[in-house]
CSV table of all heavy atoms in Angstrom, one decimal:
chain,number,residue,atom,x,y,z
A,910,GLN,N,112.5,75.8,102.5
A,910,GLN,CA,113.5,74.8,102.9
A,910,GLN,C,114.0,75.1,104.2
A,910,GLN,O,114.4,74.2,105.0
A,910,GLN,CB,114.6,74.9,101.8
A,910,GLN,CG,114.2,74.4,100.5
A,910,GLN,CD,115.3,74.7,99.4
A,910,GLN,OE1,116.3,75.2,99.6
A,910,GLN,NE2,114.9,74.3,98.1
A,911,GLN,N,114.1,76.4,104.6
A,911,GLN,CA,114.6,76.8,105.9
A,911,GLN,C,113.6,76.7,107.0
A,911,GLN,O,114.0,76.8,108.2
A,911,GLN,CB,115.2,78.3,105.9
A,911,GLN,CG,116.3,78.5,104.9
A,911,GLN,CD,116.5,79.9,104.5
A,911,GLN,OE1,115.9,80.8,105.1
A,911,GLN,NE2,117.3,80.2,103.5
A,912,GLY,N,112.3,76.5,106.7
A,912,GLY,CA,111.3,76.4,107.6
A,912,GLY,C,110.7,77.8,108.1
A,912,GLY,O,109.8,77.8,109.0
A,913,THR,N,111.2,78.8,107.4
A,913,THR,CA,110.5,80.2,107.6
A,913,THR,C,109.1,80.2,107.1
A,913,THR,O,108.2,80.8,107.7
A,913,THR,CB,111.3,81.3,106.9
A,913,THR,OG1,112.7,81.1,107.3
A,913,THR,CG2,110.8,82.6,107.3
A,914,LEU,N,108.8,79.5,106.0
A,914,LEU,CA,107.4,79.3,105.5
A,914,LEU,C,107.1,77.8,105.8
A,914,LEU,O,107.9,76.9,105.7
A,914,LEU,CB,107.4,79.6,104.0
A,914,LEU,CG,107.5,81.1,103.7
A,914,LEU,CD1,107.5,81.3,102.2
A,914,LEU,CD2,106.4,81.9,104.3
A,915,PRO,N,105.8,77.6,106.1
A,915,PRO,CA,105.4,76.2,106.3
A,915,PRO,C,105.5,75.3,105.0
A,915,PRO,O,105.4,75.8,104.0
A,915,PRO,CB,103.9,76.3,106.7
A,915,PRO,CG,103.5,77.7,106.3
A,915,PRO,CD,104.7,78.5,106.3
A,916,ASN,N,105.6,74.0,105.2
A,916,ASN,CA,105.8,73.1,104.2
A,916,ASN,C,104.6,72.8,103.3
A,916,ASN,O,104.7,72.1,102.3
A,916,ASN,CB,106.5,71.8,104.6
A,916,ASN,CG,105.6,71.1,105.6
A,916,ASN,OD1,104.5,71.4,105.8
A,916,ASN,ND2,106.2,70.1,106.3
A,917,PHE,N,103.5,73.4,103.7
A,917,PHE,CA,102.3,73.3,102.9
A,917,PHE,C,102.2,74.4,101.8
A,917,PHE,O,101.3,74.4,101.0
A,917,PHE,CB,101.0,73.2,103.7
A,917,PHE,CG,100.8,74.5,104.6
A,917,PHE,CD1,100.5,75.7,104.1
A,917,PHE,CD2,100.7,74.3,106.0
A,917,PHE,CE1,100.3,76.8,104.9
A,917,PHE,CE2,100.5,75.3,106.8
A,917,PHE,CZ,100.3,76.6,106.3
A,918,CYS,N,103.2,75.3,101.8
A,918,CYS,CA,103.4,76.3,100.8
A,918,CYS,C,103.9,75.6,99.5
A,918,CYS,O,104.9,74.9,99.6
A,918,CYS,CB,104.3,77.4,101.2
A,918,CYS,SG,103.5,78.4,102.5
A,919,ARG,N,103.3,75.9,98.4
A,919,ARG,CA,103.7,75.4,97.1
A,919,ARG,C,104.1,76.5,96.2
A,919,ARG,O,103.2,77.2,95.7
A,919,ARG,CB,102.7,74.5,96.5
A,919,ARG,CG,103.0,74.0,95.2
A,919,ARG,CD,102.1,72.7,94.7
A,919,ARG,NE,100.7,73.1,94.6
A,919,ARG,CZ,100.1,73.4,93.5
A,919,ARG,NH1,100.8,73.4,92.3
A,919,ARG,NH2,98.8,73.7,93.4
A,920,PRO,N,105.4,76.7,95.8
A,920,PRO,CA,105.8,77.8,94.9
A,920,PRO,C,105.6,77.4,93.5
A,920,PRO,O,105.8,76.3,93.1
A,920,PRO,CB,107.3,77.9,95.2
A,920,PRO,CG,107.8,76.6,95.8
A,920,PRO,CD,106.6,76.0,96.5
A,921,VAL,N,104.9,78.3,92.8
A,921,VAL,CA,104.6,78.1,91.3
A,921,VAL,C,105.0,79.3,90.5
A,921,VAL,O,104.5,80.4,90.9
A,921,VAL,CB,103.1,77.7,91.2
A,921,VAL,CG1,102.8,77.6,89.6
A,921,VAL,CG2,102.7,76.5,92.0
A,922,GLN,N,105.7,79.1,89.5
A,922,GLN,CA,106.1,80.2,88.6
A,922,GLN,C,105.0,80.4,87.6
A,922,GLN,O,104.6,79.5,86.9
A,922,GLN,CB,107.4,80.0,88.0
A,922,GLN,CG,107.8,81.3,87.2
A,922,GLN,CD,109.2,81.1,86.4
A,922,GLN,OE1,109.8,80.1,86.6
A,922,GLN,NE2,109.6,82.2,85.8
A,923,GLY,N,104.5,81.7,87.4
A,923,GLY,CA,103.5,81.9,86.4
A,923,GLY,C,102.5,83.0,86.9
A,923,GLY,O,102.7,83.7,87.9
A,924,THR,N,101.4,83.0,86.1
A,924,THR,CA,100.3,83.9,86.4
A,924,THR,C,99.1,83.2,86.5
A,924,THR,O,99.0,82.0,86.2
A,924,THR,CB,100.1,85.0,85.3
A,924,THR,OG1,99.8,84.3,84.0
A,924,THR,CG2,101.4,85.8,85.0
A,925,LEU,N,98.0,83.8,86.9
A,925,LEU,CA,96.7,83.1,87.2
A,925,LEU,C,96.2,82.4,85.9
A,925,LEU,O,95.7,81.3,86.0
A,925,LEU,CB,95.6,84.1,87.7
A,925,LEU,CG,94.3,83.6,87.9
A,925,LEU,CD1,94.3,82.7,89.2
A,925,LEU,CD2,93.3,84.8,88.1
A,926,HIS,N,96.4,83.1,84.7
A,926,HIS,CA,95.9,82.5,83.5
A,926,HIS,C,96.6,81.2,83.1
A,926,HIS,O,96.1,80.4,82.2
A,926,HIS,CB,96.0,83.5,82.4
A,926,HIS,CG,95.0,84.7,82.6
A,926,HIS,ND1,95.3,85.7,83.5
A,926,HIS,CD2,93.8,85.0,82.0
A,926,HIS,CE1,94.4,86.6,83.4
A,926,HIS,NE2,93.4,86.2,82.6
A,927,GLN,N,97.8,80.9,83.7
A,927,GLN,CA,98.6,79.8,83.4
A,927,GLN,C,98.3,78.6,84.3
A,927,GLN,O,98.8,77.5,84.1
A,927,GLN,CB,100.1,80.1,83.4
A,927,GLN,CG,100.4,81.1,82.3
A,927,GLN,CD,101.8,81.7,82.5
A,927,GLN,OE1,102.1,82.0,83.6
A,927,GLN,NE2,102.5,82.1,81.4
A,928,LEU,N,97.5,78.8,85.3
A,928,LEU,CA,97.1,77.7,86.2
A,928,LEU,C,96.0,76.9,85.5
A,928,LEU,O,95.2,77.3,84.8
A,928,LEU,CB,96.6,78.2,87.5
A,928,LEU,CG,97.6,78.8,88.5
A,928,LEU,CD1,96.8,79.3,89.7
A,928,LEU,CD2,98.7,77.8,88.8
A,929,PRO,N,96.0,75.5,85.9
A,929,PRO,CA,94.9,74.7,85.3
A,929,PRO,C,93.6,75.2,85.7
A,929,PRO,O,93.3,75.6,86.9
A,929,PRO,CB,95.2,73.3,85.9
A,929,PRO,CG,96.6,73.3,86.3
A,929,PRO,CD,97.0,74.7,86.7
A,930,VAL,N,92.6,75.2,84.8
A,930,VAL,CA,91.3,75.8,85.1
A,930,VAL,C,90.6,74.9,86.1
A,930,VAL,O,89.8,75.4,86.8
A,930,VAL,CB,90.5,75.8,83.7
A,930,VAL,CG1,89.1,76.3,84.0
A,930,VAL,CG2,91.2,76.7,82.7
A,931,SER,N,90.9,73.7,86.1
A,931,SER,CA,90.3,72.7,87.1
A,931,SER,C,90.7,73.0,88.4
A,931,SER,O,90.0,72.5,89.4
A,931,SER,CB,90.6,71.3,86.7
A,931,SER,OG,92.1,71.0,86.7
A,932,GLU,N,91.7,73.7,88.7
A,932,GLU,CA,92.2,73.9,90.2
A,932,GLU,C,91.4,75.0,90.8
A,932,GLU,O,91.3,76.1,90.3
A,932,GLU,CB,93.7,74.3,90.1
A,932,GLU,CG,94.3,74.2,91.6
A,932,GLU,CD,95.9,74.1,91.5
A,932,GLU,OE1,96.4,74.3,90.5
A,932,GLU,OE2,96.4,73.8,92.6
A,933,LYS,N,90.8,74.6,91.9
A,933,LYS,CA,89.9,75.6,92.7
A,933,LYS,C,90.4,75.9,94.0
A,933,LYS,O,91.2,75.1,94.6
A,933,LYS,CB,88.5,75.0,92.8
A,933,LYS,CG,87.9,74.5,91.5
A,933,LYS,CD,87.6,75.7,90.6
A,933,LYS,CE,86.9,75.2,89.3
A,933,LYS,NZ,86.6,76.4,88.3
A,934,PHE,N,90.1,77.1,94.5
A,934,PHE,CA,90.7,77.5,95.8
A,934,PHE,C,89.6,78.0,96.7
A,934,PHE,O,88.6,78.6,96.3
A,934,PHE,CB,91.7,78.7,95.6
A,934,PHE,CG,92.9,78.2,94.7
A,934,PHE,CD1,92.8,78.3,93.4
A,934,PHE,CD2,94.0,77.6,95.3
A,934,PHE,CE1,93.9,78.0,92.5
A,934,PHE,CE2,95.1,77.1,94.5
A,934,PHE,CZ,95.0,77.3,93.2
A,935,ASP,N,89.8,77.9,98.1
A,935,ASP,CA,88.9,78.5,99.0
A,935,ASP,C,89.1,80.0,99.2
A,935,ASP,O,88.1,80.7,99.5
A,935,ASP,CB,89.1,77.9,100.4
A,935,ASP,CG,88.8,76.3,100.4
A,935,ASP,OD1,87.8,76.0,99.8
A,935,ASP,OD2,89.6,75.6,100.8
């Protein structure tokens, strides 16, 4: 919100096992 981190950052609460299996990352 303050602009210290870029706005393409997406905060998500949880652990890896709780992310959708379909979501892939580079």
Side-chain angles (χ1 to χ4, degrees):
Q910 294 170 4
Q911 296 160 11
T913 307
L914 290 176
N916 57 15
F917 56 70
C918 289
R919 175 162 65 95
V921 176
Q922 185 180 1
T924 64
L925 179 68
H926 292 78
Q927 293 163 326
L928 287 180
V930 177
S931 58
E932 193 163 11
K933 306 295 183 183
F934 300 90
D935 300 312

